């Protein structure tokens, strides 16, 4: 028989774990590179750029467009990588609480 009280308890536990996972996202970071490491972007789990490194040698030239392109590439790559880490973190936080339901993606909760 369907146990509504048990299900409500599980939902509350999932909510608590998701909140905890959200609070811990600031501690999750990725650093991505472009241009063979000439540009590095560090992004946290709140999808904020927390650090941007540009090799000083790149700044000596006058190729503004190349620097802009490399910054965009490093940031976009980092955003893709952080999304995966966010999903992994959320999956670990809710592991064992919910049944494995195909198509259920909790990644949108954060």
């Amino acid at each position: 028989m369907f146990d509504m009280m048990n299900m409500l308890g599980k939902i509350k536990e999932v909510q608590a774990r998701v909140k905890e996972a959200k609070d811990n996202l600031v501690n999750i970071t990725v650093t991505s590179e472009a241009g063979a490491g000439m540009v590095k972007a560090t992004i946290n789990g709140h999808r904020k750029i927390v650090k941007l490194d540009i090799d000083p040698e790149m700044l000596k030239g006058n190729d503004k467009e190349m620097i802009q392109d490399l910054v965009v590439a490093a940031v976009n790559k980092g955003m893709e990588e952080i999304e995966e880490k966010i999903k992994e973190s959320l999956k670990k936080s809710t592991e064992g609480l919910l049944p494995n339901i195909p198509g259920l993606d909790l990644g949108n909760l954060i």
Side-chain angles (χ1 to χ4, degrees), residues 6 15-16 20 26 35 55 85 90:
N6 186 29
Q15 287 175 328
E20 182 181 343
V26 72
D55 188 303
K85 283 201 166 195
L90 184 59

Side-chain angles (χ1 to χ4, degrees), residues 32-44:
S32 58
E33 301 179 355
M38 299 290 277
V39 174
K40 298 176 185 174
T42 302
I43 299 167
N44 71 15

Side-chain angles (χ1 to χ4, degrees), residues 56-76:
E57 290 297 315
M58 294 226 23
L59 300 175
K60 289 180 182 176
N62 288 328
D63 199 349
K64 178 182 170 185
E65 286 183 20
M66 181 169 55
I67 294 171
Q68 290 170 330
D69 289 345
L70 291 175
V71 168
V72 168
V75 169
N76 285 339

Side-chain angles (χ1 to χ4, degrees), residues 7-104:
M7 182 60 110
L8 288 175
K10 291 269 189 197
I11 290 172
K12 287 192 180 288
E13 190 173 350
V14 168
Q15 287 175 328
R17 287 200 188 174
V18 168
K19 182 186 178 325
E20 182 181 343
K22 282 182 179 181
D23 292 343
N24 289 329
L25 287 179
V26 72
N27 300 320
I28 298 172
T29 61
V30 297
T31 300
S32 58
E33 301 179 355
M38 299 290 277
V39 174
K40 298 176 185 174
T42 302
I43 299 167
N44 71 15
H46 289 291
R47 298 173 186 95
K48 303 285 184 200
I49 301 169
V50 294
K51 187 175 182 183
L52 183 64
D53 287 320
I54 300 173
D55 188 303
E57 290 297 315
M58 294 226 23
L59 300 175
K60 289 180 182 176
N62 288 328
D63 199 349
K64 178 182 170 185
E65 286 183 20
M66 181 169 55
I67 294 171
Q68 290 170 330
D69 289 345
L70 291 175
V71 168
V72 168
V75 169
N76 285 339
K77 183 178 176 190
M79 289 294 185
E80 290 174 9
E81 292 173 7
I82 199 67
E83 287 300 324
E84 288 302 314
K85 283 201 166 195
I86 290 169
K87 286 180 183 179
E88 287 173 19
S89 175
L90 184 59
K91 184 177 179 181
K92 285 180 186 176
S93 295
T94 59
E95 202 165 55
L97 289 177
L98 296 175
N100 186 13
I101 301 171
L104 179 64

